[in-house]
Amino acid sequence: MSIANAALLGGAEVLAVSRSVASRPTAMGSWNALQMDLRSPRACSELKLTPSDLLISAAPLREFARAITASELPHGLRITAISSASATTKAHSPFPRDALWSQEMRDAELAIIAASSGNARILRPTMIYGSGRDKNVAHIAQRLARVHLLPLIGGGAGLRAPIHVDDLARVVLAASCAAPVATPIHVPGGERLTFREMVRRIAAAASIRYT
């Protein structure tokens, strides 16, 4: 279930904005669609937002931050933006590229909070899965289906707390209706497990035997 579908279930009127137009009827209804590139100047100003609207972003955080910083937003507009737990977990990474990316995410979060005059909710989910298009769980399943083999560095003892996309959609809407908070909110999945166990479950769910 996408965020748009979850909003439709709640009785909201939805305008879905994407780089490609995709006005898709669903079992829960349909939404209006608008094609827009966040990289264009003053992109968010084109939305004609009002103070009673709710702006939810699942776009790349840095692009969204640049877009709303360059746009005129109505006072009181509620904003919810999806960031990543890596904004903190990779802050002290020994890999300079990861550490820089983490810092840029935190800078983008602060820019969004400032642009919203403090009326923003920043969510930091952990590993997201369930859409079939993610680059972690879906990627692992695809690899296991091809070669039935996945090397585990360090024995796969590192911990993960994956969150299903449906659960994240519900959290996004719940947070959007709540009062804004001064700091980003971490959104882990309901269970913490080792990478090895996660891979085992992915293989079992896909009926794949791996070594």
Side-chain angles (χ1 to χ4, degrees), residues 42 54 65 72 75 77 89 115 128 149 195 199-201 209:
R42 301 170 60 80
L54 167 60
E72 294 182 5
H75 182 73
L77 176 71
T89 58
I128 304 170
L149 174 69
F195 189 80
V199 172
R200 187 194 68 78
R201 294 190 190 183
R209 185 175 181 179

Side-chain angles (χ1 to χ4, degrees), residues 50-175:
T50 70
S52 61
D53 289 329
L54 167 60
L55 178 59
I56 298 175
S57 172
L61 195 72
R62 291 170 293 182
E63 289 186 13
F64 179 65
R66 284 192 292 267
I68 66 167
T69 299
S71 302
E72 294 182 5
L73 302 178
H75 182 73
L77 176 71
R78 291 174 295 159
I79 296 176
T80 300
I82 299 177
S83 180
S84 170
S86 296
T88 53
T89 58
K90 293 185 178 180
H92 303 291
S93 171
F95 303 102
R97 185 173 181 178
D98 286 348
L100 176 61
W101 182 84
S102 178
Q103 180 62 60
E104 290 176 346
M105 293 288 284
R106 296 194 301 277
D107 291 343
E109 292 173 348
L110 292 174
I112 293 168
I113 293 171
S116 70
S117 300
N119 199 14
R121 296 102 179 132
I122 306 295
L123 304 181
R124 290 174 174 170
T126 51
M127 182 182 291
I128 304 170
Y129 73 99
S131 68
R133 301 188 303 271
D134 60 85
K135 296 181 180 180
N136 37 66
V137 172
H139 178 74
I140 292 171
Q142 291 165 5
R143 178 185 174 87
L144 291 176
R146 289 196 309 269
V147 298
H148 293 219
L149 174 69
L150 185 70
L152 299 178
I153 299 175
L159 295 175
R160 299 292 187 273
I163 181 169
H164 195 279
V165 65
D166 289 358
D167 294 330
L168 179 58
R170 297 185 184 97
V171 171
V172 166
L173 292 185

